[in-house]
Structures are given as C-alpha cells and as structure tokens.
Amino acid sequence: MRVLAVGGGAREHAIVSALVRSGADVFACLKNKNPGICRAAETYHLVDESDVPRVVEFAKANRTELAVIGPEAPLEVGLADGLEAAGIPTASPSKSAARIETSKSFMRELLMKHKVRGSIKFKIADSTRDVELALNELGTGVVVKPIGLTGGKGVKVFGEHMMNNGDVLAYADEVFAKRIGGSARIVIEEKLIGEEFTIQAFCDGSKVVPMPAVQDHKRAFEGDQGPNTGGMGSYSQKGGLLPFLQKNEYESAVKIMEDVVEALKKEGSEYHGALYGQFMLTREGPKVIEFNARFGDPEAMNVLSLLESDFVNICQRIADGRLSNGDARFMPKSSVCKYVVPEGYGIKSLSGEEITVDERAIANTGALLYYASVNEKDGKVYTTTSRSVGLVGIADEIEDAEQIAENSLQYVKGRVHVRHDIAKKVILDAKVARMERVRRGGT
Ligand code: AMP
Ligand code: GLY
C-alpha cells in the first residue's frame, strides 16, 4: 500500500512508523527535513504542508492509495477534501468536519445545539459590550479563547493569566484589535476545576473506536510552572485509564465523543479521522475543554507506540466508513513520553542550534525515538523554534516506563531543555490527591 503522510513533527514520525510497521510504502510531505520520517519514507517532498495543489500533485505523481494528515493547518485549508477529490481515500477530516478544532465557536455551539453532555456555559463576543454582558452572566471565573487556531497559545485563564475583570476586558480588546487566531471574536467560557485528560479515538463517520487515555504536561517548566506549550511530555497507563481517572469517567468521555461525531454527521460534516478530546475531569464528571481534528502531539507517540493492530487497515477503514471495535488493539502496557525541546522553548526558542542524537545508545536503553521539528543538514541535526525529539518508554508500570524514557535523555545533547518530572510518582500522587479534593467539592 502506497501511503501519503503529511507533516514533519514527532506525531508524524510516530504515524509514519506505525504505517511502515504495517507494511506501507510511505510518501511524505513535510516542511522540515525530519530525519526519522525522511529515512523511513520511499520519497519525501519538502513543501508547505498547507499548499493543497502541490501536496495533491505529489500524492498523485507517486500513485498513493491512502493519505494521513498529521497537523491541523492543512486540515483547516481543506487538504483532505483536495486529496479525496483526486480519488485518494484520506483518514483525516474534511475542512468542514475539522471545524470542531478550527472554530471554537462552532464547537461550543454544536455541543449546545445537540445537547451533548459535557457542554459548558459560554458566550461568543466581538465587542467590549458583549464581554461586559458575558462577565455579568458568567461571573468572573472565566476563560477567554480566540475563535481560531493559535497553536495552544491564545487561551487565557482567570486566576492564572487574568486577575480581574479589567484584565479580561483588556485581553478581549487585544484579540479584537490584533485579530489573534484570525478573527476579531472570542469565546468566553466558564472556568472548569479539576484534572485534564485526553482521549483520542479513530472515527469513520459514525463509529468511534477509543484509544487509551493520556495526560499531557503543557507547562514549560518543572512543577507545572511557566508558560503553556504544545506539550512537554505525556503518559498513559496500562489498561487505558489514568491514576486519577476511573472507568465510568473514561466511558462518559467516550460517550461525549460519540455524541459529537453523531452531531457532526447530522450537520452534514461526517468526521473521518483521529479525533482528540481534551476533557476536564470535574466534580460532575468530564467536561469538554476542546477537540482537535487530529492526533495530539505528544499524545500520538503514546498510543501509536502501543498500537498492535494494523494501522494501514485502520486508516483504510476510517476513510471507507468500515471501522469496528476490534480493529484497534493496544499493548497492555504503560507509556511515558518526554520531549527534548530547544532552550527557551515556550518563550523564545534557540533555533538553528546543532543537537546530537545517539540513536544506537537510545535503542540500547529500550526507549523509542521520534524526531520532531528538527532539520537535518549534511548529516547533522538542527533545532527549529518548535520541539526537537520525543523519547518514549514502555513498560508494565508508569514508573518503569518513566525510567526508560528518563535514561535515554542523556543521549540527546546540545542546548536543550527537558521536564524531568514528567510522569514522576510525586507528580502523579499529587494529581490523585487533588482529584480526591475536587470530588469532595474543593479546588
Ligand atoms: P485549549 O487551547 O482550549 O486546550 O486551552 C489551553 C489550556 O487552557 C487547556 O489545556 C486548559 O489548561 C486551559 N483551559 C481551557 N479551557 C478551560 C476551561 N474552560 N476551564 C479551565 N481551564 C481551561
Ligand atoms: N498536546 C496537545 C495538542 O496536540 O494539541
């Protein structure tokens, strides 16, 4: 099977590895020369991933029979539609279905209209007057989100980034003036209290096949300090739950995802692809923080490293609408991913710096290596402004998987930064204790 893979991060390296494991010949379109992807692919093309005509032309020229798109930007401009129109079945959502991620107002309104459980109170605002009205209605504990894509950096939370109504109004005005996220509109929503978790699922338009739950660590520095990032590392637990997440809570989040896929179908936007649900586990159960129209990064590295089933077959069934529950089996193991990022990542990344990656030593530690947004040139690897290398440990217990990932980190050298505390026992125990407090009505 000749498969097109779009994107050049660690998520896409994990996608490409899973495709190759299932016997695919991969043809890659990516904007940076990711050494892992370029080596695994039959051919690669360095190109703007959102340039639909050029990507479609490459896919046709290489007679690809299936496509998988990693990042959100090409989904937003309709790459899946372009590939389908060229006769290439695509395991990623159309431009219309991807609005579940690309428009935060579309997502909130869809959930409200279809009375999906897990919806929260929100208002859409495009003027100072609207913001004042929203604050009157919702109270001060709010979160402000630009409507469009901001790479995870546009969301501001009361009590963290905004301390009073004046701050909320000032940030809203800034979004309106600068059109942050591409439009002069925001969603203002209630602030949820609890622990966050992610469920990713394969969807074929109707059927939803969920994967193990994952928890990401978004803050740049240890102890969950510093700015929000794309994600510094993530873990999953044997059995598919998380230390603070119970089975009925996982199931209730999956039900929310099923309801969303059904709602999209009713609206004429059948969802084919991996769907990423970000939830807050509150006292009243899981509530929706956001949806992404793709795998998460780093979360893809957790689930795809554990996937035992044939990924090519899953992607074909996603595209054709033939998915069934038995199609996705995962190793009954825990996984921990730690990201190596350039110094300054989250504030001002040190890009263009050489790093060295001792692949053989990493393999000897038992960790899996996924290259991220790096560039290879003359056999050397250089950082960009985004994350550099993902290292994944797999073992029965989270603690052992964490050790494997941690041991491998010493073999990536250069001006880099890592959160060594990801998935450490102290952090996980604190999350369990916090969730117990939240369940009793505390914060
Ligand atoms: P998002 O880009 O929507 O995932 O938001 C980024 C981060 O902001 C999330 O991972 C949460 O930590 C936080 N956040 C977003 N929405 C809410 C909410 N309604 N209540 C509390 N925190 C939120
Ligand atoms: N790790 C969050 C995301 O992929 O958006």
Side-chain angles (χ1 to χ4, degrees):
M1 175 68 70
R2 301 167 74 88
V3 185
L4 172 76
V6 179
R11 165 182 51 209
E12 289 77 22
H13 189 185
I15 288 173
V16 167
S17 298
L19 290 169
V20 169
R21 261 195 338 257
S22 310
D25 287 340
V26 171
F27 298 83
C29 278
L30 65 178
K31 61 178 183 299
N32 54 299
K33 193 175 171 203
N34 175 316
I37 295 176
C38 294
R39 228 183 290 150
E42 301 297 310
T43 315
Y44 63 88
H45 185 30
L46 297 180
V47 61
D48 171 1
E49 296 150 9
S50 298
D51 187 334
V52 176
R54 287 182 68 195
V55 176
V56 172
E57 190 189 300
F58 173 82
K60 286 203 298 199
N62 287 288
R63 304 185 318 282
T64 56
E65 303 153 276
L66 179 68
V68 190
I69 303 165
E72 60 274 26
L75 298 172
E76 186 179 32
V77 296
L79 179 57
D81 310 67
L83 290 163
E84 289 275 354
I88 301 165
T90 301
S92 300
S94 65
K95 177 176 179 169
S96 163
R99 284 179 300 163
I100 198 72
E101 168 169 9
T102 59
S103 168
K104 292 192 192 280
S105 52
F106 171 80
M107 185 277 274
R108 286 287 177 222
E109 284 172 335
L110 182 83
L111 268 65
M112 185 174 70
K113 178 174 171 195
H114 292 268
K115 300 193 171 59
V116 175
R117 209 162 23 118
S119 297
I120 63 173
K121 283 192 233 139
F122 72 96
K123 290 277 156 201
I124 292 166
D126 57 14
S127 71
T128 309
R129 178 82 193 119
D130 286 348
V131 179
E132 285 166 351
L133 289 172
L135 286 170
N136 279 340
E137 204 169 306
L138 299 174
T140 44
V142 293
V143 177
V144 174
K145 302 181 173 183
I147 298 284
L149 296 176
T150 58
K153 289 155 197 110
V155 175
K156 293 213 172 174
V157 179
F158 191 85
E160 289 181 34
H161 317 94
M162 307 179 297
M163 293 306 164
N164 52 47
N165 279 2
D167 291 349
V168 175
L169 285 159
Y171 182 54
D173 281 342
E174 189 186 337
V175 176
F176 299 154
K178 295 186 187 158
R179 302 175 66 85
I180 295 174
S183 76
R185 292 173 89 206
I186 56 171
V187 173
I188 308 181
E189 58 189 39
E190 65 176 297
K191 178 182 171 182
L192 301 166
I193 307 290
E195 270 300 322
E196 284 180 59
F197 67 96
T198 300
I199 298 180
Q200 300 164 96
F202 298 116
C203 308
D204 74 349
S206 315
K207 182 95 194 140
V208 172
V209 177
M211 303 180 227
V214 183
Q215 193 181 38
D216 186 12
H217 293 64
K218 283 205 156 86
R219 298 300 193 99
F221 308 130
E222 299 198 349
D224 283 333
Q225 302 296 310
N228 269 329
T229 69
M232 295 295 295
S234 49
Y235 66 94
S236 70
Q237 179 178 265
K238 184 173 67 178
L241 303 177
L242 294 167
F244 59 85
L245 177 71
Q246 296 164 1
K247 186 153 190 281
N248 63 324
E249 295 162 339
Y250 173 91
E251 282 166 357
S252 128
V254 170
K255 175 74 171 67
I256 292 171
M257 296 177 80
E258 288 169 347
D259 290 349
V260 165
V261 168
E262 196 182 317
L264 282 166
K265 190 174 182 179
K266 282 191 187 139
E267 297 291 327
S269 300
E270 264 194 22
Y271 192 96
H272 296 258
L275 177 64
Y276 171 112
Q278 177 79 10
F279 299 94
M280 187 74 85
L281 181 55
T282 70
R283 193 181 182 198
E284 290 113 46
K287 305 255 176 164
V288 173
I289 293 184
E290 67 165 355
F291 283 102
N292 291 331
R294 51 177 171 82
F295 283 104
D297 188 352
E299 296 90 338
M301 287 183 272
N302 297 89
V303 292
L304 290 175
S305 299
L306 295 173
L307 183 67
E308 285 181 325
S309 310
D310 186 310
F311 186 50
V312 170
N313 179 49
I314 292 175
C315 290
Q316 283 177 302
R317 287 169 179 257
I318 286 174
D320 302 350
R322 287 184 297 120
L323 211 51
S324 59
N325 273 338
D327 287 338
R329 279 189 330 278
F330 294 87
M331 266 186 251
K333 301 262 186 200
S334 301
S335 68
V336 172
C337 174
K338 300 206 185 201
Y339 243 132
V340 179
V341 304
E343 267 180 27
Y345 175 66
I347 303 163
K348 192 171 188 305
S349 293
L350 210 56
S351 62
E353 287 282 323
E354 188 188 341
I355 58 169
T356 59
V357 181
D358 188 338
E359 294 187 3
R360 188 169 304 173
I362 290 170
N364 286 338
T365 66
L368 302 172
L369 159 69
Y370 297 108
Y371 283 100
S373 297
V374 288
N375 258 314
E376 191 183 40
K377 197 163 168 258
D378 304 326
K380 293 182 174 170
V381 178
Y382 297 90
T383 60
T384 65
T385 54
S386 193
R387 296 165 289 185
S388 308
V389 178
L391 292 163
V392 178
I394 301 212
D396 282 334
E397 303 306 323
I398 295 175
E399 266 182 276
D400 300 324
E402 192 273 327
Q403 271 306 311
I404 294 171
E406 187 61 36
N407 279 341
S408 68
L409 288 167
Q410 59 186 303
Y411 300 111
V412 181
K413 293 201 174 79
R415 297 192 62 185
V416 291
H417 165 66
V418 177
R419 266 191 68 176
H420 292 283
D421 65 344
I422 281 161
K424 284 253 195 265
K425 191 163 184 321
V426 278
I427 293 243
L428 301 193
D429 287 348
K431 287 178 187 296
V432 172
R434 160 120 199 276
M435 202 54 229
E436 272 165 22
R437 283 200 304 280
V438 169
R439 286 197 174 95
R440 289 197 302 266
T443 57

